[in-house]
């Protein structure tokens, strides 16, 4: 089993030195967003934030949450593949619970992300588990922290990968 652990913290609780040259997954809420996030992304956090600065949807004040990929994973390529996989999974979950970000152009690259992630683990992996703690990445950043972890489990079947467990409730 491949387990990816993400601890989401509010952007206001981090410093530039915390995220300097780090790979992560983040959810941004523009000043106009009230019910659903503006954008869910991944990558080298500082570079990605700079990319978003001139976007029309990025109205101030910007708020959000971020989870860095574990630093004990030394390979930036491996960190990036895990971030891509986490982004794709969270975008899928967000769609299913009616919290899809308004400004994501696509739904991530789940098949490519799974393939890249498994390259680092070995092809015998049949289960992927994404475990989220801290702040709920699909709720407004001002919401209180989660009281318990939430997770998503993907399993490989003959037909392909499928989410078999999801610990987020559907929201209207």
């Amino acid at each position: 089993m491949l387990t990816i652990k993400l601890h989401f913290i509010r952007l206001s609780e981090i410093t530039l030195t915390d995220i300097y040259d780090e790979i992560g997954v983040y959810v941004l809420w523009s000043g106009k967003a009230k019910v659903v996030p503006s954008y869910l992304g991944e990558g080298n956090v500082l570079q990605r934030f700079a990319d978003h600065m001139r976007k029309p949807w990025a109205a101030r004040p910007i708020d959000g949450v971020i989870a860095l990929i574990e630093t004990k994973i030394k390979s930036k390529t491996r960190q990036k593949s895990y971030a891509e996989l986490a982004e794709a999974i969270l975008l899928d979950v967000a769609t299913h619970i009616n919290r899809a970000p308004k400004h994501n152009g696509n739904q991530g690259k789940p098949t490519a992300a799974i393939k890249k992630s498994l390259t680092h683990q070995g092809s015998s992996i049949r289960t992927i588990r994404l475990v989220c703690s801290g702040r709920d990445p699909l709720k407004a950043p001002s919401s209180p922290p989660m009281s318990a972890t939430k997770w998503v489990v993907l399993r490989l079947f003959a037909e392909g990968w499928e989410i078999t467990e999801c610990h987020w409730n559907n929201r209207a």
Side-chain angles (χ1 to χ4, degrees), residues 38 41 51 59 64 80 85 89 102 117 123 125 163 168-169:
S38 300
D51 293 343
K80 173 75 171 157
L85 181 55
I89 293 169
K102 292 286 187 192
S117 296
S123 58
I125 302 288
I163 291 179
W168 267 272
N169 294 328

Side-chain angles (χ1 to χ4, degrees), residues 129-144:
R129 183 178 169 130
L130 179 70
V131 180
C132 298
S133 61
R135 304 271 178 178
D136 187 329
L138 302 177
K139 282 188 177 178
S142 58
S143 299

